[in-house]
Amino acid sequence: MRQRIVAGNWKMHKNAEETEDLLNELIDKIPTDLDQRVIVAPTFVNLSAAADHLEFTPIEVAAQNMHQAEGGAFTGEISAGMLESVGVRIVILGHSERRAYFHETDALLAAKVDTALKHEMEVIFCFGEELKDRHAGQHFNVVENQLKDGLFHLEASAWKNIILAYEPVWAIGTGETASPEQAQEMHEFIRDIIRKNYGNTVAEDVSILYGGSVKPENAAEIFSKPDVDGGLIGGAALKSDDFTKIVLAI
Ligand code: PEP
């Protein structure tokens, strides 16, 4: 069954004390009886404390990245097993900042996805075109290729642990939002190509989140579109009032 999800990507923000404060505010403000899933992704160093803090709450915790290897001489990296060992069962992979600043390719991301799934983690898989792609009329091709190269090697059964996050790069952290119509058009396209490759059940069951300058003011309209199943939120996830409003807008 398709799930409605709002996830907050905290990026490289919030030290230990600030993390605890924001979590406490979210625990106070977000009702406990919601049908939608609420996920937050603090930085690696605060994940263990966040997972402990959120253990008896409906708010789930995700990592922002992980390495594809099980372990080894990879200075500065974090493995799926390490995330699991601190109670993290969800990982964001393929964020545009990882692709752009850390040169993560589709092939690397496919390997990370495989490792996460081997650990029975859920993957929030991010993808989306740059502005130049949209201007060149290539946005559908770019998105299709990112999905094909990152995910379409998976068996249909693996898709129960995949959450998609369409994030047009030109809308991330820029204040520019895709219009609800642009988001719906792309989400419908994404669901159609999944249907072509995996059939109707996988296509209908997969949650497709929209990300890119979602705010309390525009969330409800974006979430009202039939193929938009929630959001991946950056800047607005750092303020408990804004994030709570977005969670409640779904
Ligand atoms: C993001 O980084 O995933 C994101 C959507 O950021 P923002 O909401 O700030 O555009």
Side-chain angles (χ1 to χ4, degrees):
M1 233 265 298
R2 204 189 301 177
Q3 298 174 320
R4 313 273 286 163
I5 301 167
V6 178
N9 172 13
W10 294 8
K11 310 192 184 189
M12 199 170 72
H13 296 291
K14 307 286 177 190
N15 63 24
E17 197 184 330
E18 292 161 348
T19 296
E20 193 177 334
D21 289 347
L22 181 52
L23 291 176
N24 282 335
E25 288 172 28
L26 293 175
I27 290 167
D28 281 350
K29 290 177 189 175
I30 295 179
T32 52
D33 57 350
L34 298 177
D35 288 336
Q36 60 268 44
R37 290 175 68 185
V38 180
I39 301 170
V40 294
T43 58
F44 279 136
V45 287
N46 295 314
L47 275 179
S48 178
D52 286 349
H53 212 83
L54 295 172
E55 191 175 354
F56 299 108
T57 78
I59 304 174
E60 300 170 80
V61 65
Q64 298 173 19
N65 180 33
M66 54 162 248
H67 196 273
Q68 67 277 15
E70 295 295 340
F74 299 105
T75 301
E77 292 293 330
I78 307 281
S79 71
M82 291 169 187
L83 295 176
E84 266 185 306
S85 73
V86 296
V88 176
R89 309 288 314 144
I90 309 168
V91 61
I92 298 172
L93 294 177
H95 191 278
S96 63
E97 288 151 17
R98 300 291 321 167
R99 291 176 187 260
Y101 306 143
F102 303 97
H103 314 293
E104 296 199 356
T105 61
D106 291 324
L108 175 75
L109 292 169
K112 290 191 178 201
V113 168
D114 288 344
T115 303
L117 295 181
K118 199 166 130 208
H119 285 260
E120 293 182 10
M121 295 176 75
E122 275 183 291
V123 173
I124 301 177
F125 186 81
C126 305
F127 56 96
E129 82 283 1
E130 295 178 35
L131 193 56
K132 65 174 168 44
D133 304 320
R134 191 164 271 268
H135 283 160
Q138 288 301 312
H139 43 302
F140 293 115
N141 283 343
V142 168
V143 161
E144 183 163 6
N145 285 334
Q146 287 172 328
L147 287 174
K148 201 168 76 196
D149 295 343
L151 294 178
F152 282 5
H153 63 288
L154 298 175
E155 303 278 329
S157 59
W159 278 76
K160 63 178 189 311
N161 283 330
I162 301 290
I163 298 162
L164 298 177
Y166 167 60
E167 300 205 303
V169 178
W170 48 272
I172 295 179
T174 59
E176 285 275 327
T177 319
S179 68
E181 291 69 31
Q182 284 172 319
Q184 169 56 25
E185 182 187 39
M186 185 58 89
H187 283 223
E188 194 178 343
F189 170 78
I190 293 162
R191 210 178 291 286
D192 276 350
I193 52 178
I194 293 168
R195 188 174 289 111
K196 274 192 211 114
N197 282 275
Y198 288 100
N200 204 44
T201 306
V202 173
E204 286 304 318
D205 283 357
V206 69
S207 298
I208 311 177
L209 315 185
Y210 168 79
S213 300
V214 176
K215 305 181 247 326
E217 300 76 43
N218 59 20
E221 207 188 341
I222 295 171
F223 295 161
S224 72
K225 295 296 175 191
D227 287 298
V228 178
D229 304 309
L232 180 56
I233 318 300
L238 299 173
K239 295 192 188 121
S240 60
D241 279 341
D242 286 357
F243 190 65
T244 304
K245 282 183 193 146
I246 294 169
V247 166
L248 296 178
I250 204 165

